Amino acid sequence: MSLSPDMDTDNSLANEPSVALTVDLVILSVRHGGLTVLLAKDEARHPGGVWGLPGGSIGESEDVDEAADRLLFDATGLQHSTWHVEQLRTYVPAVSSAPDGGSRSATIAYISFMPVGVDPLPGSMAEAFRWWAVDDLWDDGPSLALSQSQIILDGVDRCRSKLEYTTVAASFLEEPFTLGELRRVYESVWGVKLHHSNFARKLTSSPGYLIAEFDGSPGRASLYRRGDASYVMPPILRPTAEPT
Amino acid sequence: MSLSPDMDTDNSLANEPSVALTVDLVILSVRHGGLTVLLAKDEARHPGGVWGLPGGSIGESEDVDEAADRLLFDATGLQHSTWHVEQLRTYVPAVSSAPDGGSRSATIAYISFMPVGVDPLPGSMAEAFRWWAVDDLWDDGPSLALSQSQIILDGVDRCRSKLEYTTVAASFLEEPFTLGELRRVYESVWGVKLHHSNFARKLTSSPGYLIAEFDGSPGRASLYRRGDASYVMPPILRPTAEPT
DNA sequence: CCAAAAGTGTTGTGCTTACACCCATGT
DNA sequence: ACATGGGTGTAAGCACAACACTTTTGG
C-alpha cells in the first residue's frame, strides 16, 4: 500500500525540510506536600505570555543527553550530578497540526527530579520560573499549550511508576535525609498514607538503597544517604488501586 | 556559565539547520528458542551492504506514532493492530560525530513484538530481511553501525524488563495459545527455566491477562486469548539475578 | 504533660515455592 | 509402553500488613 521507496520511506539525509528540534524539561519536585512541576514564562519559547516547560535547542557540539544536562543547568543554575535525569519521550506532531502550520517540529522531553532547597534563579534570562502543583494544574493552573499538558502528564506518570521499582525517590531529597522525609516523598507523589514502621523496614532491607550515616535511637531519626542501587528489590507497590 | 539566551537556548522555529528525522524499528520475535531481531539490508538506509534496522522517515501528514505504524506495515506487510508498538528512545548524536560530519541527525527508535508465523515480505522493496538471534548478534552477527547496536541493546533491555510487569509477552504469540507456549516466551527472552505449574497459577490468577477460550482437562492444554489488562499484578519477577 | 515522630517487637495471614502426583496424547 | 506436556494438590517458608509498645523531642 504505502510501499513507496522513493518518496516516503527514503531518507537520504539531504532533502529533509527544516525541523525544529527542541528539548523540553519536566522538572519535578515535592513541595508543600505534593508533586510540583517547574514552569517558565519565556516569551521566546512560549509566546503570548503563557507558561510552558523550560528547555531549548541542541547545540552542534553536543548530543541530546548533553543538551538536556546543559539546559537543566540553565533553568536551575545548579549542577545536577546527583540528580536524576532521563529521557521521557519524543513528540512529533503532523505538520498540518503544527502551530505555524508549515514546518516540522520535534520535541524531545526529559524528566528530572529536584530536591527542595534547590531553587531556580530566574534573573539572568528575564524568564520567570514558578513551581506549580500538578494536581491543581488543570483547575487553577496557568494556560498551557495542549502538547505541554500532555508532556507533563506523561512525565508525572513516569515519575509515579518509577517510584515503585527504582530508588529515584531519594533524589527528591538533599542528603542527608531521614526515613520520614523519604516516606513523605512517596506519600506526596502517590497521594497515599504508608505505615511508617513497615516502610522503614522495607527500605532499609532493600540492598544498596540507603547508606546509614547516623544511627538514631527511638527519639532521634537516623540519617541516610543515597546508595549505589538504582532498583528497589523487591518493588514498593502502591497500596491502593494498582494498574490493571 | 552557558546562560546564553540569544544563541543556544533560543529556538525560534526558523534558523534550524536541516535535520534528518528518521524512525528506526526494533522488531523482536521469539524464534528457535531465543529472542530475535529483524534486520534489513537496505542500500538506501544502510549503504555499504551492511545490515541495519528497518525504518524510514515521517510523512508530513502523520505524527511520529503513525509513522512508526506505517513503517512497521512496510517492513512486515501485515497489519499490527493487535501487536505491541511503543516508542523506545530518541538518539541525537553530536553533529561532529555524524556519519557525514555536517548535518544533524535524529533517530526515533520504536520497539515492536511480533509473533511467529508472521514473516516479512522482502520482495517489493528489493530489501532483504532476516531474523537474527540477539544473543549471537555480537559474535556471529552481521556488521552493524555502532548506533544500531546500541538501539538494539536498549530495545532488548526494554523488552526483558517489560515482561516482568506487563502483559506484552502474549503479543509474541498468535491467538489462541497455550500456557506452555507463553511460558516458553518468558523462558526464551529471559534465558531461564520456570516451573510450569506455578507459572500457570500465577498467570491465570492475574486479572485480565488471559481469557480462557477452551478449557482443557489434565491431558489437553487449555487455549487462551489476550485479555484487556496491560499490567501484570503482581509482577512476574525473574528468578535469578534481579537488577540491583 | 501531651502530641507527634521514630524505632522495635510480635503475630497472623497470604502468597510463593518446591515437590509429588495424576491424566491425556503421541510415537 | 513410555516419554512428554499439562493440570491439580499440598506442606514449608517467607514476606508483609496490622497493631501494640517504648523513647525522645517540642510545645
Side-chain angles (χ1 to χ4, degrees):
Chain A
M1 182 176 293
S2 60
L3 298 170
S4 45
D6 291 324
M7 34 172 302
D8 224 4
T9 46
D10 178 85
N11 66 324
S12 40
L13 312 168
N15 50 3
E16 279 289 334
S18 173
V19 175
L21 202 62
T22 67
V23 172
D24 275 19
L25 302 174
V26 181
I27 304 173
L28 298 174
S29 188
V30 175
R31 313 208 164 200
H32 312 109
L35 197 59
T36 58
V37 61
L38 185 69
L39 296 183
K41 200 166 198 168
D42 178 353
E43 193 59 34
R45 279 176 48 79
H46 307 291
V50 303
W51 291 84
L53 296 170
S57 58
I58 312 173
E60 300 220 337
S61 60
E62 59 189 3
D63 65 29
V64 64
D65 288 336
E66 293 164 347
D69 279 355
R70 175 183 55 81
L71 292 164
L72 191 58
F73 176 86
D74 287 355
T76 65
L78 290 175
Q79 292 297 349
H80 50 272
S81 48
T82 65
W83 307 344
H84 184 82
V85 188
E86 71 175 46
Q87 193 181 302
L88 175 62
R89 208 203 129 89
T90 295
Y91 304 81
V92 184
V95 168
S96 55
S97 72
D100 63 354
S103 79
R104 174 68 83 188
S105 75
T107 302
I108 307 173
Y110 278 73
I111 185 174
S112 178
F113 305 150
M114 198 166 302
V116 289
V118 172
D119 268 308
L121 34 103
S124 46
M125 280 187 277
E127 293 172 323
F129 285 99
R130 226 193 96 175
W131 293 104
W132 296 84
V134 295
D135 291 333
D136 305 340
L137 254 191
W138 326 116
D139 309 329
D140 302 336
S143 82
L144 280 172
L146 242 72
S147 59
Q148 302 270 296
S149 303
Q150 186 59 54
I151 296 173
I152 295 170
L153 276 177
D154 291 347
V156 170
D157 275 355
R158 173 80 65 95
C159 169
R160 292 212 165 106
S161 63
K162 275 234 150 186
L163 285 203
E164 288 194 326
Y165 58 96
T166 73
T167 63
V168 291
S171 59
F172 277 118
L173 297 172
E174 286 186 309
E175 295 178 315
F177 50 85
T178 70
L179 281 176
E181 294 169 332
L182 187 56
R183 178 167 48 86
R184 275 184 284 277
V185 168
Y186 281 88
E187 291 176 339
S188 300
V189 174
W190 286 344
V192 298
K193 282 291 169 196
L194 300 175
H195 254 47
H196 72 102
S197 57
N198 296 330
F199 176 84
R201 254 189 293 261
K202 191 178 296 191
L203 273 281
T204 51
S205 68
S206 179
Y209 195 161
L210 299 173
I211 297 173
E213 164 153 306
F214 183 77
D215 200 34
S217 359
R220 292 171 293 277
S222 300
L223 296 177
Y224 294 90
R225 296 186 170 275
R226 292 183 273 269
D228 293 329
S230 310
Y231 293 87
V232 192
M233 202 61 224
I236 321 233
L237 299 176
R238 276 174 273 192
T240 61
E242 252 82 26
T244 307
Chain B
M1 184 176 292
S2 59
L3 298 170
S4 45
D6 291 325
M7 34 171 302
D8 226 3
T9 46
D10 179 85
N11 66 324
S12 40
L13 311 170
N15 50 4
E16 278 290 332
S18 172
V19 176
L21 202 62
T22 66
V23 172
D24 275 19
L25 302 172
V26 181
I27 305 174
L28 298 174
S29 188
V30 175
R31 313 209 165 199
H32 313 109
L35 196 59
T36 58
V37 61
L38 185 69
L39 296 183
K41 200 166 198 168
D42 178 351
E43 194 60 32
R45 278 176 47 80
H46 308 290
V50 302
W51 292 83
L53 295 170
S57 57
I58 313 173
E60 299 219 338
S61 61
E62 59 191 2
D63 64 29
V64 63
D65 288 336
E66 294 165 346
D69 279 357
R70 176 183 54 81
L71 292 163
L72 191 58
F73 176 85
D74 287 355
T76 65
L78 290 175
Q79 293 297 349
H80 51 271
S81 49
T82 64
W83 309 343
H84 184 81
V85 189
E86 71 176 45
Q87 192 181 303
L88 176 62
R89 209 203 129 88
T90 295
Y91 304 81
V92 184
V95 167
S96 54
S97 72
D100 63 355
S103 78
R104 174 69 82 188
S105 75
T107 302
I108 306 172
Y110 277 74
I111 186 174
S112 178
F113 304 150
M114 198 166 301
V116 290
V118 172
D119 269 306
L121 35 101
S124 44
M125 279 187 276
E127 292 173 327
F129 284 100
R130 227 193 95 175
W131 293 102
W132 296 83
V134 294
D135 292 332
D136 305 340
L137 210 49
W138 325 115
D139 309 328
D140 302 337
S143 81
L144 281 171
L146 241 72
S147 58
Q148 301 271 296
S149 303
Q150 186 59 53
I151 296 172
I152 295 170
L153 277 177
D154 291 347
V156 170
D157 274 355
R158 172 80 65 94
C159 169
R160 292 212 165 105
S161 62
K162 276 235 151 185
L163 285 203
E164 287 194 328
Y165 58 96
T166 73
T167 63
V168 290
S171 59
F172 277 116
L173 297 172
E174 285 186 309
E175 295 179 314
F177 51 84
T178 70
L179 281 176
E181 293 168 333
L182 186 57
R183 179 167 46 86
R184 276 184 283 278
V185 169
Y186 281 88
E187 291 176 336
S188 300
V189 174
W190 287 345
V192 297
K193 282 292 170 193
L194 299 175
H195 257 47
H196 77 280
S197 58
N198 295 331
F199 176 84
R201 254 190 292 258
K202 191 177 297 189
L203 274 279
T204 51
S205 68
S206 178
Y209 195 161
L210 299 172
I211 298 173
E213 163 152 305
F214 184 77
D215 199 35
S217 356
R220 292 168 294 275
S222 299
L223 296 178
Y224 294 90
R225 297 186 170 275
R226 292 183 273 269
D228 293 329
S230 309
Y231 293 88
V232 191
M233 203 62 222
I236 321 234
L237 299 175
R238 278 175 271 192
T240 61
E242 253 82 26
T244 308

